[in-house]
Amino acid sequence: MAFTEFRPLDEKSLIEYIKAVPSLSSKLGSDLKVKEVGDGNLNFVYIVVSNAGSFVIKQALPYMRCIGESWPMTKERAYFEAVALRELGRLSPEHVPEVYHFDHTMSLIGMRYLEPPHIIVRKGLIAGIEYPLLAEHMSEFMARTLYFTSLLYRSTTEHKRAVAEFCGNVELCRLTEQVVFSDPHKVSQYNHWTSPYLDRDAEALREDNVLKLEVAELKSKFCERAQALLHGDLHTSSVMVTHESTQVLDPEFAFYGPMGFDIGAFLGNLILAFFAQNGHADQVNDRKTYKEWILRTIEDTWNLFHKKFIALWDEHKDGSGEAYLPAIYNNPELLQLVQKKFMEDLFHDTLGFGAAKMIRRIVGVAHVEDFESITDASGRADCERRALEAAKLLLKERRKFHAITEVISAIQKLQS
Amino acid sequence: MAFTEFRPLDEKSLIEYIKAVPSLSSKLGSDLKVKEVGDGNLNFVYIVVSNAGSFVIKQALPYMRCIGESWPMTKERAYFEAVALRELGRLSPEHVPEVYHFDHTMSLIGMRYLEPPHIIVRKGLIAGIEYPLLAEHMSEFMARTLYFTSLLYRSTTEHKRAVAEFCGNVELCRLTEQVVFSDPHKVSQYNHWTSPYLDRDAEALREDNVLKLEVAELKSKFCERAQALLHGDLHTSSVMVTHESTQVLDPEFAFYGPMGFDIGAFLGNLILAFFAQNGHADQVNDRKTYKEWILRTIEDTWNLFHKKFIALWDEHKDGSGEAYLPAIYNNPELLQLVQKKFMEDLFHDTLGFGAAKMIRRIVGVAHVEDFESITDASGRADCERRALEAAKLLLKERRKFHAITEVISAIQKLQS
């Protein structure tokens, strides 16, 4: 067996591999079926099912799947994904699939298979399906993972050790820097947009000095501020759902960064989904009610996150977290002041990062299916332009927003 | 010889040690003299002179020298000091003494001896001596070391590698967190002040919610923001001077943190020196002219730093620094906007951190000789109280200051 050095697996060699790994083979019965299902930008993903059990095998190859060998990308990302999956799963076990096996040499993760009817949230949003627990679950996941990996809960010693380890995931961080903070704001061979409709909009972006000033500030925070362990790529395709279950996947971009980057990724992608709805409306379904549900989900996600994050802070305010020592900050009035300031700053970061992620999905290298699945180019461009206007507003004026309801109003205004 | 494991050296065993290390022994002739001169809080320092050459030996012991074995402190700090001395020395060779030898096992550094008339800047400031090149040299040191270790000059890859390494210096970072951002703002057994004169002032600090809110923000930046390689303890006792030479010493607190922490440390300690002058005035010398020189030095240090930092940025604006990519930021108008914002933020950080460092020197564990050498307690308290008022103003209102001249005016006002 080829365990001693890396080799890419295919459906046939994967079976051999599984047979030799007890923690995997012991889960399976007979009637084995293997299917490659990876539709992401980066990795190969195999579903392995049998009459007695199932799992998913994810393997990283030393390049980007969506581009090919011409865009090399460290397969070490699998290591950071496995470490992050285990850490996020420890903190939010109900919303992260269990890891059964990790093989560093093979850059291979064996993990729980999320059986049907689990689907990618983005696909549900395109199909117009409501998920009544999505805001509840995602706010829970984000509040717990961000709070418990920050200095609100941890000692500096624990924090710096973890930060140092995730500094190793630098190649994936650089990829984010490039596609979120750089390429959309300059001429780049990978950029594309719904042309010719958005040609002038893309050009206007590249000429927008005020926007670039703000993007620079956000990029600095992304690169320099190790506030908490981030998923790092928490858009609506990194989450699978049913009506009862919400599962966060694919944290290969994990690193210690600013909390607002994760929250913004999720909310920003919900805002994209909102603006795409007009392109999915038809005579049978005008999507009006569904758009309202999306806006409610955005509002609920932030408000529930806020509530749960503060509840964790209150619960552990006498704990070992070193950012706000009890002996200094534990008078009720001051604690409230401090929490208000913290959450206000986090809200502004969230809007800024969310907006930056929206922009890159309209004029950058990788777009979202929410818009891409709108076949009429002119109609798609109209949706995208409104989303782009929303993003520019949220990014440039983020400090003027003080509650999520104000954001919702601004989005509604741009929609009509 | 005891090279294979750590042991503390004394004047006698040091000679044996030197004889066995060619890079040291080769520098010396006959007529060897060894003298322990460490007067700092942390380490043992030996001057070794001979008729043919000289050097300094600095050894870290596994506790704080000023407290004793009851306050353990990793001797690994010597490793980070050696790495930092070499890196800072590479970037600013005229202002950092050369390292001749580092012994990791022994936590021991052999380095250039700064021969007389070099003295600690703080002692010069107490004696009322003007150093005409101090601002020029310190601005040069800070501009070069901070610029070249930041993402303005470096790639993310180089930056994250260096950040990860210095995460290992966590114990010294924690010491700073404690003595600068925590202890002065709570009841602590190590705190002391000129009692009873400042009893009410120390209490008022501990009750100042607005101040604590700002201190929390600064502490977060200190703990989370890896902006550049900091000296980490750049007060006026970490610098030795003559009229022609300025040498920065003792970077054992080095780590990747916010640039304003270094600049603030130096400027804050100059402000302390200013407020101490009334206590050193006598019938022969009213110190009026000298106070003006200190204020001029504060002003010149910031303005020269600003000029040199921007000059480095302009010079390397097409380089490999990843914070502001040329393809996005190299139009003259935008570059100027970006630089203005960056320097304004840095100015506010500098004032905040400088003020925090001033406060800790008046009510915290370790005070400064500038005040301690004023024998009349009432007179000393008067000097300290004015310095404390200045610090509180600078910390709480720092965002209202836009130029160093405004800071100078505020200091003058509090003095009269």
Side-chain angles (χ1 to χ4, degrees):
Chain A
M1 282 302 299
F3 283 48
T4 52
E5 61 177 30
F6 175 82
R7 66 168 176 145
L9 295 177
D10 55 27
E11 300 191 5
K12 188 161 160 279
S13 56
L14 179 61
I15 293 178
E16 284 174 66
Y17 179 89
I18 290 166
K19 281 184 184 156
V21 176
S23 62
L24 294 175
S25 57
S26 65
K27 293 210 176 295
L28 297 174
S30 59
D31 209 8
L32 207 65
K33 277 187 199 110
V34 175
K35 202 173 123 194
E36 208 284 315
V37 297
D39 60 352
N41 295 320
L42 290 178
N43 306 296
F44 289 81
V45 180
Y46 299 91
I47 295 173
V48 183
V49 294
S50 74
N51 61 355
S54 61
F55 48 77
V56 159
I57 296 288
K58 185 169 174 181
Q59 188 178 34
L61 268 51
Y63 54 81
M64 296 230 323
R65 180 180 183 160
C66 66
I67 307 278
E69 296 187 36
S70 67
W71 192 327
M73 180 55 58
T74 174
K75 56 186 165 54
E76 270 300 285
R77 63 185 188 260
Y79 169 75
F80 292 102
E81 175 166 359
V83 174
L85 272 174
R86 283 176 167 149
E87 176 71 352
L88 300 174
R90 187 179 68 78
L91 296 170
S92 188
E94 288 174 26
H95 304 300
V96 181
E98 191 184 341
V99 173
Y100 301 139
H101 171 71
F102 174 62
D103 183 332
H104 201 147
T105 307
M106 292 286 279
S107 304
L108 182 150
I109 301 170
M111 55 195 285
R112 179 184 159 198
Y113 167 50
L114 299 170
E115 68 291 341
H118 276 102
I119 67 165
I120 297 287
V121 170
R122 195 187 301 286
K123 291 187 187 291
L125 292 164
I126 293 166
I129 306 167
E130 294 186 14
Y131 296 98
L133 295 175
L134 184 61
E136 183 73 45
H137 288 169
M138 285 304 293
S139 61
E140 176 86 6
F141 170 81
M142 294 191 295
R144 292 186 62 84
T145 59
L146 297 175
Y147 177 81
F148 284 115
T149 59
S150 77
L151 286 165
L152 295 171
Y153 180 76
R154 279 202 183 146
S155 73
T156 309
T157 308
E158 296 168 292
H159 194 70
K160 280 214 194 291
R161 193 187 305 123
V163 170
E165 172 164 32
F166 277 93
C167 276
N169 204 16
V170 56
E171 276 201 48
L172 281 276
C173 289
R174 291 194 68 186
L175 181 56
T176 304
E177 287 169 38
Q178 180 184 341
V179 299
V180 177
F181 301 106
S182 303
D183 283 355
H185 304 282
K186 66 183 184 70
V187 175
S188 161
Q189 58 167 317
Y190 300 110
N191 288 347
H192 63 99
W193 51 82
T194 303
S195 186
Y197 308 95
L198 295 186
D199 288 0
R200 181 64 204 114
D201 303 82
E203 198 189 339
L205 263 190
R206 295 196 302 272
E207 288 166 354
D208 191 333
N209 282 357
V210 177
L211 191 83
K212 290 184 191 176
L213 199 63
E214 296 295 343
V215 168
E217 180 176 319
L218 291 166
K219 184 178 177 185
S220 283
K221 275 197 188 165
F222 179 85
C223 295
E224 296 171 353
R225 187 171 186 199
Q227 192 180 21
L229 177 61
L230 305 191
H231 175 284
D233 194 30
L234 197 54
H235 52 69
T236 48
S237 296
S238 293
V239 183
M240 291 190 82
V241 275
T242 68
H243 280 77
E244 295 81 31
S245 162
T246 305
Q247 302 292 327
V248 176
L249 296 160
D250 300 344
E252 62 252 82
F253 286 84
F255 77 113
Y256 276 73
M259 296 180 180
F261 189 77
D262 264 10
I263 315 167
F266 186 67
L267 296 187
N269 274 269
L270 286 180
I271 300 173
L272 291 178
F274 171 84
F275 282 106
Q277 291 303 318
N278 280 2
H280 301 301
D282 55 31
Q283 305 229 316
V284 183
N285 185 348
D286 65 3
R287 298 280 180 127
K288 250 188 150 165
T289 318
Y290 194 61
K291 285 199 283 188
E292 280 162 22
W293 176 80
I294 296 181
L295 292 184
R296 214 159 52 240
T297 301
I298 293 168
E299 189 176 335
D300 289 352
T301 301
W302 173 261
N303 286 336
L304 287 167
F305 168 80
H306 189 297
K307 192 178 125 194
K308 290 170 188 197
F309 194 89
I310 293 292
L312 288 172
W313 190 335
D314 285 338
E315 187 185 338
H316 298 281
K317 71 183 194 303
D318 296 308
S320 55
E322 292 203 271
Y324 299 89
L325 296 182
I328 305 176
Y329 292 96
N330 269 7
N331 84 61
E333 188 197 343
L334 177 56
L335 186 62
Q336 223 172 17
L337 266 177
V338 160
Q339 291 179 336
K340 187 167 177 293
K341 181 164 186 293
F342 185 97
M343 296 310 282
E344 177 116 339
D345 288 345
L346 182 53
F347 187 57
H348 295 156
D349 277 8
T350 297
L351 297 182
F353 286 120
K357 305 261 291 180
M358 289 169 67
I359 291 171
R360 77 99 152 193
R361 294 298 194 173
I362 299 166
V363 300
V365 53
H367 288 220
V368 288
E369 202 183 332
D370 311 64
F371 292 129
E372 299 286 275
S373 58
I374 302 168
T375 45
D376 169 47
S378 160
R380 180 169 74 241
D382 185 57
C383 293
E384 290 173 325
R385 185 178 294 111
R386 287 166 198 267
L388 197 57
E389 289 309 311
K392 282 160 65 177
L393 175 75
L394 292 179
L395 209 157
K396 290 199 262 191
E397 308 290 338
R398 65 189 182 280
R399 295 175 198 86
K400 292 187 185 151
F401 291 91
H402 300 287
I404 191 74
T405 47
E406 297 164 20
V407 176
I408 304 292
S409 302
I411 292 171
Q412 281 171 320
K413 223 175 184 174
L414 279 161
Q415 169 66 10
S416 56
Chain B
M1 281 303 298
F3 283 48
T4 53
E5 61 177 29
F6 175 83
R7 65 167 177 146
L9 294 177
D10 55 27
E11 301 192 4
K12 188 159 160 279
S13 55
L14 179 61
I15 293 178
E16 282 174 66
Y17 179 88
I18 290 166
K19 281 185 186 157
V21 177
S23 64
L24 294 175
S25 57
S26 65
K27 292 207 178 295
L28 297 175
S30 59
D31 208 8
L32 207 65
K33 278 187 198 107
V34 176
K35 203 173 123 191
E36 208 284 316
V37 296
D39 59 352
N41 295 319
L42 291 177
N43 306 295
F44 288 80
V45 181
Y46 298 91
I47 294 173
V48 183
V49 293
S50 74
N51 61 354
S54 61
F55 48 76
V56 159
I57 296 288
K58 186 168 174 182
Q59 188 177 34
L61 268 50
Y63 54 83
M64 296 232 321
R65 179 180 183 160
C66 66
I67 307 277
E69 296 187 36
S70 67
W71 191 326
M73 180 54 57
T74 175
K75 57 186 164 54
E76 270 299 284
R77 63 187 189 259
Y79 169 75
F80 291 103
E81 175 165 0
V83 174
L85 272 175
R86 283 176 167 149
E87 176 70 352
L88 300 174
R90 188 180 67 78
L91 296 170
S92 187
E94 288 174 26
H95 304 300
V96 181
E98 191 184 343
V99 174
Y100 302 139
H101 171 71
F102 174 61
D103 183 332
H104 201 147
T105 308
M106 292 286 280
S107 304
L108 181 151
I109 301 171
M111 57 197 283
R112 178 184 159 198
Y113 166 50
L114 298 170
E115 69 291 341
H118 276 103
I119 67 165
I120 297 287
V121 171
R122 195 186 303 286
K123 291 188 187 290
L125 292 164
I126 294 166
I129 305 168
E130 295 186 14
Y131 296 98
L133 295 174
L134 183 62
E136 183 73 46
H137 289 167
M138 286 304 292
S139 61
E140 177 85 7
F141 170 82
M142 295 192 293
R144 291 186 62 85
T145 58
L146 297 175
Y147 178 81
F148 285 115
T149 59
S150 76
L151 286 164
L152 295 172
Y153 180 76
R154 280 200 183 149
S155 72
T156 310
T157 308
E158 296 169 291
H159 194 71
K160 280 215 195 291
R161 192 186 307 124
V163 170
E165 172 163 31
F166 277 93
C167 277
N169 204 17
V170 56
E171 275 200 48
L172 279 277
C173 289
R174 292 194 68 185
L175 181 57
T176 303
E177 287 170 38
Q178 179 183 341
V179 299
V180 177
F181 301 106
S182 302
D183 283 355
H185 304 283
K186 66 184 184 70
V187 175
S188 161
Q189 58 167 317
Y190 299 111
N191 288 347
H192 63 100
W193 50 82
T194 303
S195 188
Y197 307 96
L198 296 185
D199 288 359
R200 181 64 203 113
D201 303 83
E203 198 189 342
L205 264 189
R206 295 194 302 271
E207 288 166 355
D208 191 335
N209 282 358
V210 177
L211 191 82
K212 289 183 190 177
L213 199 63
E214 296 295 344
V215 168
E217 180 176 319
L218 291 167
K219 184 179 177 185
S220 283
K221 275 197 188 166
F222 180 85
C223 295
E224 295 171 352
R225 186 170 188 200
Q227 191 179 22
L229 176 61
L230 305 191
H231 175 284
D233 195 29
L234 197 54
H235 52 69
T236 48
S237 297
S238 293
V239 183
M240 291 190 82
V241 275
T242 67
H243 280 77
E244 294 79 33
S245 162
T246 305
Q247 302 292 325
V248 176
L249 296 161
D250 300 344
E252 62 251 81
F253 286 85
F255 77 113
Y256 276 73
M259 295 180 181
F261 189 76
D262 264 11
I263 315 169
F266 186 67
L267 296 186
N269 274 269
L270 286 180
I271 300 173
L272 291 178
F274 171 84
F275 281 108
Q277 292 303 317
N278 281 1
H280 301 302
D282 55 32
Q283 305 231 316
V284 183
N285 186 348
D286 65 4
R287 297 280 179 129
K288 248 186 151 170
T289 317
Y290 194 61
K291 285 198 283 188
E292 280 162 23
W293 176 80
I294 296 179
L295 292 184
R296 216 159 49 240
T297 301
I298 293 168
E299 188 175 336
D300 289 351
T301 302
W302 173 262
N303 286 336
L304 287 168
F305 168 81
H306 190 296
K307 193 178 124 194
K308 290 171 188 196
F309 193 89
I310 293 293
L312 288 171
W313 191 336
D314 285 338
E315 187 185 340
H316 297 280
K317 71 184 193 305
D318 296 307
S320 55
E322 292 202 273
Y324 299 88
L325 297 182
I328 305 176
Y329 292 96
N330 269 6
N331 83 61
E333 189 197 341
L334 177 55
L335 186 62
Q336 222 171 19
L337 267 178
V338 160
Q339 290 178 337
K340 187 169 178 292
K341 183 165 185 293
F342 185 97
M343 296 309 285
E344 177 117 339
D345 288 346
L346 182 51
F347 187 56
H348 295 156
D349 278 8
T350 297
L351 297 182
F353 286 120
K357 304 262 291 182
M358 288 169 67
I359 290 171
R360 76 99 152 192
R361 294 299 193 174
I362 300 167
V363 301
V365 53
H367 288 218
V368 287
E369 202 184 330
D370 311 63
F371 292 129
E372 298 287 273
S373 57
I374 302 169
T375 44
D376 169 48
S378 158
R380 180 169 73 241
D382 184 58
C383 293
E384 290 173 323
R385 185 178 295 112
R386 287 166 198 267
L388 197 58
E389 289 309 311
K392 283 161 65 177
L393 175 74
L394 293 178
L395 210 158
K396 290 199 263 191
E397 309 289 340
R398 65 189 182 281
R399 294 175 197 86
K400 292 186 186 152
F401 290 92
H402 300 287
I404 192 73
T405 47
E406 296 165 21
V407 175
I408 303 293
S409 301
I411 292 172
Q412 282 171 320
K413 223 174 181 174
L414 280 161
Q415 171 65 10
S416 57

